[in-house]
């Protein structure tokens, strides 16, 4: 635990040291992605969240494709 | 401390923490327009909706654990608390993250945190 803490203090990335009003839920992820020296903690979290996001993106595209198969498209156009 | 900031609170966040936010000048808002997204439970349906939103996918919505607010309340210098230590990732990722880096800051003892990490 103590080792972990001293490590954290030594390798502080912008995600660790950034404080103040300008930081919020809207810009935090971009700040981390732009940080050239992510600490171990932030690196692991960013990588995991990025993977989650890309899987979600894939499934969204998949859903759209299902929606736009010819038969479904035909149905949609006749409905409107 | 939170003057002019809009905050969204998941149903999992206690009344006390919301009250603190308002007492410090923050307002409570819709998740679409909030500057801050706070939750105490990544698997709560309110928070799950954030994780499934386009804002989240496009890196425009970081969820923070609401104990950031209690850390601010307890800190001697209010704006010395690093928001970045309170990221709340989706529940399905937490086990894997914990295996790699140990427990999350928000799972550790509050007093210890404030003394060791947040006073700069
Ligand atoms: Zn960091």
């Amino acid at each position: 635990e103590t080792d972990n803490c001293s490590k954290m203090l030594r390798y502080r990335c912008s995600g660790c040291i950034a404080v103040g009003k300008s930081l919020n839920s809207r810009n935090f992820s971009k700040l981390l992605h732009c940080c050239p020296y992510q600490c171990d903690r932030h690196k692991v979290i960013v990588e995991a969240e990025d993977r989650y996001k890309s899987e979600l993106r894939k499934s969204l595209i998949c859903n759209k494709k299902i929606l736009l198969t010819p038969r479904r498209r035909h149905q949609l156009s006749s409905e409107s | 401390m939170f003057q002019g900031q809009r905050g969204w609170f998941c149903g999992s966040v206690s009344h006390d923490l919301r009250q603190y936010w308002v007492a410090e000048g923050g307002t409570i808002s819709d998740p679409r327009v909030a500057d801050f997204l706070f939750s105490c439970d990544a698997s709560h349906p309110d928070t799950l909706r954030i994780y499934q939103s386009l804002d989240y996918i496009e890196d425009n919505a970081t969820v923070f654990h609401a104990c950031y607010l209690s850390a601010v309340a307890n800190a001697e210098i209010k704006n010395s608390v690093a928001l970045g230590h309170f990221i709340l990732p989706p529940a399905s990722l937490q086990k894997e993250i914990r295996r790699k880096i140990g427990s999350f800051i928000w799972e550790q003892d509050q007093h210890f945190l404030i003394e060791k990490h947040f006073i700069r």
Side-chain angles (χ1 to χ4, degrees):
Chain A
E1 194 59 61
T2 322
D3 191 32
N4 220 346
C5 292
S6 57
K7 210 166 144 195
M8 250 178 83
L9 291 172
R10 253 182 289 137
Y11 303 115
R12 289 182 141 200
C13 70
S14 32
C16 290
I17 58 172
V19 290
K21 272 197 169 176
S22 53
L23 225 56
N24 60 37
S25 288
R26 300 306 172 193
N27 56 25
F28 195 80
S29 181
K30 290 196 174 92
L31 170 105
L32 267 190
H33 279 100
C34 294
C35 173
Y37 308 107
Q38 286 173 356
C39 68
D40 290 348
R41 285 192 91 85
H42 280 119
K43 198 171 162 173
V44 166
I45 294 174
V46 165
E47 280 171 3
E49 283 198 290
D50 280 354
R51 218 178 320 113
Y52 179 95
K53 287 171 190 177
S54 78
E55 272 159 30
L56 209 63
R57 212 175 287 129
K58 262 184 253 162
S59 78
L60 281 180
I61 293 167
C62 248
N63 287 344
K64 245 184 227 158
K65 273 194 190 138
I66 291 163
L67 190 76
L68 294 178
T69 52
R71 206 174 132 246
R72 179 80 183 124
R73 203 157 32 198
H74 181 72
Q75 282 176 346
L76 283 176
S77 56
S78 57
E79 273 164 17
S80 58
Chain B
M1 172 78 184
F2 304 118
Q3 201 64 49
Q5 307 287 318
R6 290 161 298 190
W8 170 83
F9 290 84
C10 170
S12 60
V13 181
S14 75
H15 185 65
D16 286 358
L17 290 177
R18 290 172 204 235
Q19 238 174 0
Y20 177 70
W21 171 261
V22 172
E24 287 287 322
T27 54
I28 301 211
S29 84
D30 195 75
R32 304 280 314 260
V33 296
D35 303 301
F36 288 87
L37 304 165
F38 290 118
S39 170
C40 287
D41 179 4
S43 43
H44 190 286
D46 294 350
T47 302
L48 277 175
R49 232 169 285 136
I50 303 285
Y51 294 138
Q52 282 153 11
S53 69
L54 215 55
D55 271 349
Y56 182 73
I57 299 176
E58 292 174 345
D59 297 330
N60 292 322
T62 300
V63 180
F64 295 106
H65 199 292
C67 79
Y68 165 70
L69 295 173
S70 52
V72 170
N74 290 319
E76 272 179 62
I77 309 157
K78 298 240 176 288
N79 59 12
S80 67
V81 180
L83 182 64
H85 290 150
F86 294 88
I87 299 174
L88 182 70
S92 58
L93 305 177
Q94 287 179 14
K95 201 173 160 192
E96 172 205 336
I97 294 172
R98 212 177 275 123
R99 204 182 57 233
K100 289 181 181 162
I101 59 173
S103 61
F104 288 95
I105 292 273
W106 35 267
E107 292 170 321
Q108 295 166 15
D109 179 66
Q110 289 291 314
H111 194 68
F112 165 82
L113 286 174
I114 290 151
E115 285 198 335
K116 297 280 180 194
H117 298 305
F118 298 123
I119 304 297
R120 294 200 299 147

